[in-house]
Amino acid sequence: MSGKRQKNQSEQLELAFPKAGRGEAPRAVGRGTETLTAKRAHENPADTERLMEEVCERENCQQALRRVKTNKGGPGVDGMTVRDLPGHLKQHWTTIREQLLKGTYRPQPVKRVEIDKPGGGGVRKLGVPTVLDRFIQQAVLQVLQRRWDPTFSDHSYGFRPGRSAHQAVTRAQQYVAEGYRWVIDLDLSKFFDRVCHDKLMARIAARISDRRALKLIRAFLSAGVMEDGLVSASGEGVPQGGPLSPLLSNLVLDEWDQELERRGHRFVRYADDSNVYVRSERACQRVMASLTAFITNRLKLKVNHAKSAVARPWERKFLGFSFTSGSQPRRRIAPQAVGRFKERVRELTGRTRGVSLTSMVKNLSPYLRGWHGYFGFCQTPFVLRDLDSWVRRRLRAVQWAHWKHGPRQYVELRKRGVAEQWAAKTASSAHGPWRLAHSKAMKIALPTEFFDSLGLPRLVAPELLNPPNRRMRTRMSGGVAGVRG
């Protein structure tokens, strides 16, 4: 069945994008090795004057369509969904392609969407393009990224192929281990909203010469924003939400990376988060003042002084992580990230939600898997162990509340192997669900293996859990194993 589905999708893509004609640009050759000088040099304009033909190339468009479908996302101002996009392209691609090649394509305004920032720090304003504009941006992105990414700094890790936040954190950890134990933690205030269009377009024009591509990118930047049915002009900023925005932001901040490299600083940048590592507090203060002046006067951006600081690395967080203060620093989860984790788990495991424990675990599991996929990179497993136990305690409290009354609670405990006297004592207790969820009786009734059977992911390997107290387990359950946190 899966093979048949892939064949149908392939046929659908072939119908949407006919084979390239003679006028289209040939496929780009593979990228070879480059010297540092070659990496920093701009592309030859003669190599980029037919860039839009490469954007509209059949294989590039098929790849862009697959990416947009994989990323999913909601509809834009026209209401078209990702599911509708292949049919729309099948019917209108010839006209759209002609507009792109003539430089007459006009994107629609983006839809304003607001999401809460982590930690209650206000809202982040996103601009959601239509799915057709997302597809075209993705096609442009793929072509430009192949050309531009090799020229970016090795210290830049955000929104780049083959690079990740984990690599950025590891690089920062290396600097701290080498003795650079002071950090300048710089945060740019509303970076995506403050990018100057003219300055950005000048940097793009220095790299490509295809006027149609320049006109298209300018049109995406100035398409406007629809909010409450009204469209407002966008004179500055790069709307967050479009596929092309991260690449353009990296292009803007490439000047920042080059300046830091020129000064010989040890730094790590992920999107608009930059950490510069130095050896002393005095040097840190001096460099902070100098870099703030550069950002303000040269980049025409603004430093968020409330979130920026000169401090020890273990006093700050970077991409959700921090470090221990020993001679061999280890990665640890930042306290703010732990707090957000607990807040989200509380939302998903509220005792008044009116869902069964099985359904609750089903809803909670994807979040736990995703969270562990990122924060499992830490080097302090005891934190994961404690969070593991805390999550199970939350779920035991839910189940205890669902049993409601003492007689039923007693019966349920007995059914699950708890000795009679301990079941009676726990069921008659005046303590609330949270307190009793930590009791030995509930750990016997709902052991770790029970939650494993429900499909609840563990945040830490079983061998790192504390071994159970064998004597207490035997005395309470009459030989039934499984007392764990």
Side-chain angles (χ1 to χ4, degrees), residues 210-274:
D210 192 319
R211 294 182 180 272
R212 299 163 300 176
L214 294 172
K215 188 176 180 181
L216 178 62
I217 295 173
R218 168 72 82 165
F220 278 124
L221 291 174
S222 57
V225 178
M226 178 176 285
E227 192 170 8
D228 298 328
L230 300 176
V231 178
S232 57
S234 48
E236 64 176 1
V238 177
Q240 298 183 70
L244 196 55
S245 298
L247 178 65
L248 297 181
S249 68
N250 272 335
L251 181 62
V252 171
L253 292 174
D254 187 55
E255 184 177 358
W256 165 250
D257 296 338
Q258 291 184 41
E259 178 66 16
L260 292 176
E261 288 182 354
R262 186 185 67 79
R263 298 186 184 193
H265 288 309
R266 287 156 179 80
F267 72 98
V268 183
R269 182 177 67 80
Y270 190 95
D272 56 337
D273 288 337
S274 297

Side-chain angles (χ1 to χ4, degrees), residues 5 166 188 265 334 384 413:
R5 188 181 299 112
H166 287 171
L188 299 181
H265 288 309
L384 298 178
L413 291 176

Side-chain angles (χ1 to χ4, degrees), residues 362-401:
K362 184 177 181 181
N363 294 332
L364 178 63
S365 294
Y367 175 73
L368 295 181
R369 279 192 290 268
W371 192 88
H372 181 261
Y374 184 75
F375 287 103
F377 185 62
C378 75
Q379 295 173 314
T380 50
F382 61 88
V383 176
L384 298 178
R385 180 199 62 201
D386 292 345
L387 290 175
D388 236 348
S389 297
W390 181 83
V391 170
R392 288 191 293 271
R393 184 176 178 181
R394 290 282 309 177
L395 295 173
R396 290 188 184 106
V398 168
Q399 186 61 77
W400 184 260

Side-chain angles (χ1 to χ4, degrees), residues 139-374:
V140 174
L141 167 69
Q142 291 166 180
V143 173
L144 295 183
Q145 196 163 53
R146 288 194 294 267
R147 297 169 181 269
W148 294 357
D149 192 76
T151 72
F152 290 154
S153 170
D154 287 337
H155 300 270
S156 167
Y157 290 88
F159 311 122
R160 297 184 61 187
R163 288 174 171 256
S164 68
H166 287 171
Q167 293 174 343
V169 173
T170 300
R171 174 68 74 92
Q173 183 182 9
Q174 291 171 352
Y175 289 145
V176 177
E178 291 169 2
Y180 297 88
R181 301 172 77 80
W182 284 90
V183 62
I184 303 165
D185 187 356
L186 284 164
D187 183 87
L188 299 181
S189 178
K190 298 182 179 179
F191 164 71
F192 285 91
D193 298 331
R194 297 180 185 274
V195 173
C196 174
H197 287 179
D198 291 338
K199 188 176 178 65
L200 172 58
M201 290 306 302
R203 294 187 67 83
I204 297 173
R207 289 174 174 258
I208 63 176
S209 64
D210 192 319
R211 294 182 180 272
R212 299 163 300 176
L214 294 172
K215 188 176 180 181
L216 178 62
I217 295 173
R218 168 72 82 165
F220 278 124
L221 291 174
S222 57
V225 178
M226 178 176 285
E227 192 170 8
D228 298 328
L230 300 176
V231 178
S232 57
S234 48
E236 64 176 1
V238 177
Q240 298 183 70
L244 196 55
S245 298
L247 178 65
L248 297 181
S249 68
N250 272 335
L251 181 62
V252 171
L253 292 174
D254 187 55
E255 184 177 358
W256 165 250
D257 296 338
Q258 291 184 41
E259 178 66 16
L260 292 176
E261 288 182 354
R262 186 185 67 79
R263 298 186 184 193
H265 288 309
R266 287 156 179 80
F267 72 98
V268 183
R269 182 177 67 80
Y270 190 95
D272 56 337
D273 288 337
S274 297
N275 276 10
V276 183
Y277 294 86
V278 297
R279 289 188 180 274
S280 70
E281 182 180 10
R282 184 176 180 181
C284 225
Q285 297 288 358
R286 184 181 68 252
V287 173
M288 176 68 153
S290 177
L291 294 181
T292 300
F294 179 84
I295 291 171
T296 304
N297 301 327
R298 182 75 173 271
L299 298 183
K300 306 301 181 185
L301 298 171
K302 185 177 179 181
V303 174
N304 187 337
H305 294 285
K307 294 184 178 180
S308 301
V310 167
R312 295 288 197 175
W314 46 88
E315 296 172 352
R316 305 294 294 177
K317 67 179 179 68
F318 181 54
L319 303 178
F321 291 91
S322 187
F323 306 106
T324 59
S325 58
S327 58
Q328 295 298 322
R330 292 178 297 161
R331 298 182 298 271
R332 64 182 180 92
I333 305 173
Q336 299 92 325
V338 174
R340 288 195 295 270
F341 170 83
K342 289 190 172 183
E343 182 180 352
R344 181 56 178 157
V345 171
R346 287 189 185 101
E347 293 175 0
L348 295 171
T349 59
R351 295 196 293 269
T352 60
R353 294 187 63 212
V355 299
S356 67
L357 187 66
T358 302
S359 298
M360 192 171 286
V361 169
K362 184 177 181 181
N363 294 332
L364 178 63
S365 294
Y367 175 73
L368 295 181
R369 279 192 290 268
W371 192 88
H372 181 261
Y374 184 75

Side-chain angles (χ1 to χ4, degrees), residues 20 24-27 53-62:
E24 291 192 0
R27 296 179 182 175
E53 279 75 13
E54 191 174 342
V55 169
C56 295
E57 194 176 44
R58 179 168 170 265
E59 183 177 346
N60 186 61
C61 290
Q62 288 178 340

